[in-house]
Amino acid sequence: MHAELSRIADLFERGRLDEAAGEASRLRAQQPQACEPARLHGVALLALGRIDDAIAALSEARRLDPRSIETLCNLGSAWLAADDAKAACEALDAAIAIAPGHPAALNGLGNARHALGDAEGAHAAYAAAVRAAPSYLGAWINLAGVELALGRLPEAERIARSVATQTGHPEARLLLGRSLAALGRRDEARSVFAEAEHAVPGDARFPYQLGVLADEDKDHAGAAAAHARAHALAPDMGEALAQLVFVKRQLCDWRGLETLSTRLRRAVAAEVTGVSPFGFLAEPADGTEQLRCARTAATAIRVTRPAFTHTPRGVDEPVRLGFVSNGFSNHPTGLLTVALFEQLRALGTDVQLFATAAGDGKAIERRLRAAATGWHVLHGLSPRTMAERIHAAAVDVLFDLRGWGGGHVAEVFAQRPAPVQVNWLAYPGTSGAPWIDYVVADRIVLPPEARDTFSEAVACLPRCFQPSDPTRGIADPPPREACGLPAEGTVFSCFNNSYKLDPRSVERMLRVLLLVPGSVLWLLQGPSGSEANLREAARTRGIDPARLVFMPKLAHDDYLARFRHADLFLDTATYNAHTTASDALWAGCPVLTTPGATFASRVAASLLHHLGLPELVVADDEAYVTLAAHLGRDRDARIALRERLAGRRAASGLFDMQAFARDLFALTTTVARRHREGLAPAPIDAA
């Protein structure tokens, strides 16, 4: 049998896996009681991607020789490939029980524990592996990776630098750059990635990481170039494709965008990992596609569950609410919620606020701190520590005011730090996550026919789902000329972020300009390059590019004041104005919108419906252009509309935060009561 085993090993070395599998299968038939043929057959099958068959062969090898360390290690690898980390741990624990210092078994156990989300356990296994075999390169790289995951950045850098210096290994270079970036040493990280891109020109991860750094530095053109290089090297790399598409949208660079967007949607359909659900909201995709994207992202998050237990409470005990956000400062989330939290506190509600970003100390943050029963700073903490802090606060219902917006918040909620967890406000789509029980919505933004595209049970308020701050005053703006506007003529505005300005939305805005002589389109200044691209789009349609006016980003009060000069806000189609639409209406500027089929495309319609201005919610682009042009040409109609808006603002409940607080508290009380009664999440309609 020795000669046959040697031949199989030779076939492995030469990459002839099908032949190796065939030879091993024949040898198994000849030697049915021998472990090694079954083991090699399983290894060959695993290399061929036939995972179930590999597990069967390796399990038989284990039965034949329960003390074979190689078999147990191979079986652990197979179970990991089958996405069963618990079974992998069992096999590898068995190997270590037989040979406590076996380096490969310890390294494999670290991989299995890491897959379970047990980073500390993985660290212990990897550390034991390198103690047992100080030259074990793979274990050192894994140890650096888990140090980074645990937030032990100096140690991650030290190990990665040592391995990279000695070996030049791509994984070590990657971990070194990521560690430096996390330490805030961005120039050093950039140098590491640039050198690695040159040294390993076929590895798309290095230009991708350069793109991430450029994007964070607001160098959008540099980010687009880097992500394009990464995508060219690895067309199936979801992260690079998704970021390339999103950065091109930010730049309003539509060259080749339709092809890239189609490619991205196909990647989502194929459940390619790495596509950000937040960025995907800007694509012309339907709710089913958004759900698939979010579910794929949620599946990629691994945690040890159940991570926490929750003390049962009586059905009628007071309900403690928790809210997690990176925006509890002068940020859209803080601006929208501060008055609501003040009213919740006035009702005697226990409100715990968990801030995941550094504060700014400004007025909004001071008001939020004053409104909160408990204020918790989570900035800079690992996901596990964040979850522990939240769990210690013992909230009954925990609201995610970040969603798929980054900052490791999804990893925090995946650990279930609260018994009931809710998606609300900040992420206008489904979480797709099994750890989110409810989404707070209303009947307009999430109508019954769209609810099967959400993984959560829908909890409907009897009002618009979006709060606001009615305590804000609207100052007088500078003269039109000081804002870059002409002294006369209709001013159409759209102060949305540039990634929302898709070709369809801009095309209909430009059609309006063509139909209203002397009018201008007032836009928010975007990334460098976006202004030139938008002006070029106007020029190619025969419109003087000077009719596009760009407002720089201003302090909130100054920005609100500018709406006094705007005659009509032209909403975007795929991804509406959300906070910006609320700001416009509060400042007295009418908003025109066309609702789509997704949550993100229906927010402005919800605001207008609950305000009582349904005439500004039109069915399609033709009706949009027609009504905008009519209002643009008819000054009396614009004045009448503005007066109607002012009346509805006072009479409707859209900006009544006292009533909003009562409705939200009633809804969350129902949610908490269902949980306390042992009932599963279910749709709740308070309308």
Side-chain angles (χ1 to χ4, degrees):
M1 187 170 67
H2 177 74
E4 289 88 345
L5 293 175
S6 296
R7 172 170 169 72
I8 295 168
D10 180 63
L11 290 171
F12 268 113
E13 289 181 9
R14 294 159 62 188
R16 294 162 63 177
L17 299 176
D18 280 317
E19 292 180 58
E23 290 285 345
S25 179
R26 283 189 288 274
L27 187 57
R28 283 184 69 187
Q30 296 168 12
Q31 303 286 343
Q33 297 304 312
C35 168
E36 192 63 4
R39 185 185 76 82
L40 289 177
H41 191 208
V43 172
L45 292 168
L46 181 60
L48 289 167
R50 294 169 56 185
I51 297 171
D52 290 343
D53 291 337
I55 290 171
L58 290 166
S59 297
E60 174 63 10
R62 181 182 184 181
R63 185 189 69 77
L64 294 168
D65 184 357
R67 297 184 63 81
S68 168
I69 303 300
E70 291 79 6
T71 297
L72 291 167
C73 289
N74 295 152
L75 185 57
S77 297
W79 280 121
L80 270 180
D83 205 24
D84 190 339
K86 288 183 179 180
C89 281
E90 184 277 328
L92 292 158
D93 278 329
I96 292 164
I98 298 166
H102 195 285
L106 287 165
N107 187 62
L109 181 61
N111 293 338
R113 287 175 175 174
H114 207 184
L116 279 173
D118 180 9
E120 290 286 2
H123 181 278
Y126 294 140
V130 298
R131 286 195 301 271
S135 62
Y136 193 166
L137 178 63
W140 278 114
I141 289 173
N142 288 335
L143 182 59
V146 80
E147 296 282 17
L148 179 61
L150 288 166
R152 299 168 185 166
L153 305 180
E155 188 64 8
E157 183 212 347
R158 184 190 68 78
I159 297 171
R161 186 180 297 280
S162 175
V163 177
T165 301
Q166 294 178 55
T167 69
H169 197 287
E171 292 295 335
R173 291 174 184 262
L174 183 68
L175 287 166
L176 176 58
R178 290 179 57 206
S179 299
L180 290 166
L183 284 163
R185 293 155 59 184
R186 303 176 65 80
D187 289 342
E188 292 179 71
R190 193 175 291 107
S191 295
V192 168
F193 292 138
E195 290 170 8
E197 183 180 9
H198 177 74
V200 196
D203 194 327
R205 296 175 298 173
F206 297 114
Y208 171 74
Q209 290 294 336
L210 286 169
V212 171
L213 287 174
D215 197 17
E216 292 171 351
D217 291 339
K218 308 301 181 186
D219 175 12
H220 294 83
H227 289 313
R229 296 198 305 275
H231 178 60
L233 289 170
D236 295 331
M237 184 180 181
E239 300 94 323
L241 174 59
Q243 286 302 112
L244 175 59
V245 170
F246 191 67
V247 173
K248 285 177 74 71
R249 290 199 182 280
Q250 290 177 298
L251 290 168
C252 300
D253 178 4
W254 304 326
R255 295 169 298 176
L257 184 59
E258 185 174 354
T259 298
L260 288 170
S261 178
T262 299
R263 197 173 298 166
L264 179 60
R265 292 173 68 184
R266 287 174 180 163
V268 167
E271 299 182 355
V272 171
T273 59
V275 178
S276 164
F278 174 78
F280 193 66
L281 293 178
E283 298 308 303
D286 62 27
T288 300
E289 292 173 276
Q290 291 178 358
L291 174 60
R292 184 176 294 110
C293 182
R295 277 186 168 152
T296 301
T299 301
I301 294 177
R302 305 301 181 105
V303 294
T304 304
R305 288 181 286 179
F308 298 101
T309 57
H310 307 287
T311 303
R313 292 187 178 167
V315 171
D316 296 319
E317 285 189 51
V319 177
R320 173 176 286 187
L321 306 183
F323 300 83
V324 181
S325 177
N326 71 322
F328 287 148
S329 58
N330 191 35
H331 176 280
T333 300
L335 292 162
L336 287 175
T337 58
V338 62
L340 171 63
F341 290 145
E342 288 168 342
Q343 292 299 324
L344 282 170
R345 187 65 185 274
L347 290 175
T349 309
D350 189 327
V351 175
Q352 304 290 319
L353 300 186
F354 301 90
T356 64
D360 57 17
K362 295 182 180 178
I364 294 295
E365 183 184 341
R366 293 195 298 272
R367 288 174 60 192
L368 287 164
R369 284 177 176 267
T373 311
W375 176 268
H376 310 265
V377 178
L378 305 184
H379 175 61
L381 302 179
S382 69
R384 177 66 185 181
T385 305
M386 289 190 205
E388 288 170 350
R389 298 280 180 87
I390 294 169
H391 179 255
V395 300
D396 296 291
V397 181
L398 185 66
F399 290 82
D400 183 356
L401 273 65
R402 181 61 170 161
W404 290 112
H408 301 295
V409 171
E411 289 92 330
V412 173
F413 275 79
Q415 296 175 68
R416 280 279 181 185
V420 181
Q421 302 187 157
V422 181
N423 169 20
W424 177 50
L425 190 63
Y427 180 73
T430 181
S431 68
W435 54 82
I436 298 293
D437 304 300
Y438 292 91
V439 61
V440 174
D442 62 62
R443 287 179 172 178
I444 304 301
V445 79
L446 191 51
E449 62 271 19
R451 294 179 188 178
D452 62 355
T453 64
F454 273 64
S455 60
E456 305 91 338
V458 179
C460 259
L461 286 164
R463 58 175 53 254
C464 178
F465 80 101
Q466 186 189 87
S468 186
D469 182 8
T471 69
R472 295 173 293 172
I474 310 298
D476 291 328
R480 285 171 60 124
E481 294 85 345
C483 299
L485 301 170
E488 300 292 337
T490 301
V491 176
F492 296 105
S493 71
C494 182
F495 295 152
N496 283 351
N497 285 314
S498 59
Y499 65 84
K500 298 184 180 184
L501 294 170
D502 59 354
R504 173 190 167 191
S505 298
V506 173
E507 174 64 26
R508 66 189 191 181
M509 292 175 188
L510 295 177
R511 287 176 60 195
V512 173
L513 289 188
L514 286 170
L515 293 170
V516 184
S519 63
V520 296
L521 178 60
W522 200 8
L523 301 168
L524 180 66
Q525 197 172 72
S528 176
S530 61
E531 181 177 328
N533 288 332
L534 289 167
R535 289 191 189 279
E536 178 61 18
R539 188 193 64 76
T540 60
R541 288 159 181 76
I543 297 171
D544 181 356
R547 292 177 68 187
L548 271 59
V549 179
F550 292 86
M551 179 186 76
K553 292 190 176 180
L554 302 168
H556 187 72
D557 291 346
D558 295 331
Y559 144 79
L560 273 184
R562 296 312 193 267
F563 278 111
R564 291 190 181 274
H565 286 322
D567 294 299
L568 182 66
F569 187 101
L570 299 179
D571 194 19
T572 42
T574 303
Y575 198 142
N576 285 175
H578 294 180
T579 306
T580 311
S582 177
D583 291 340
L585 295 171
W586 177 251
C589 177
V591 175
L592 177 63
T593 194
T594 52
T598 64
F599 193 118
S601 66
R602 300 183 62 83
V603 172
S606 175
L607 289 163
L608 290 163
H609 170 84
H610 291 95
L611 183 63
L613 290 177
E615 64 267 31
L616 293 176
V617 181
V618 296
D620 53 38
D621 290 354
E622 287 304 316
Y624 179 99
V625 171
T626 298
L627 181 53
H630 163 68
L631 291 168
R633 292 190 297 256
D634 190 333
R635 183 173 181 273
D636 290 341
R638 294 198 302 275
I639 292 172
L641 179 59
R642 210 167 184 107
E643 290 175 348
R644 177 162 157 71
L645 168 56
R648 293 306 307 158
R649 193 184 81 163
S652 75
L654 181 64
F655 296 103
D656 183 351
M657 292 304 102
Q658 187 177 46
F660 198 123
R662 290 195 300 267
D663 291 337
L664 184 64
F665 182 73
L667 190 69
T668 52
T669 299
T670 301
V671 164
R673 179 181 288 271
R674 282 189 60 84
H675 175 77
R676 291 172 178 180
E677 292 175 344
L679 300 174
I684 297 170
D685 196 340

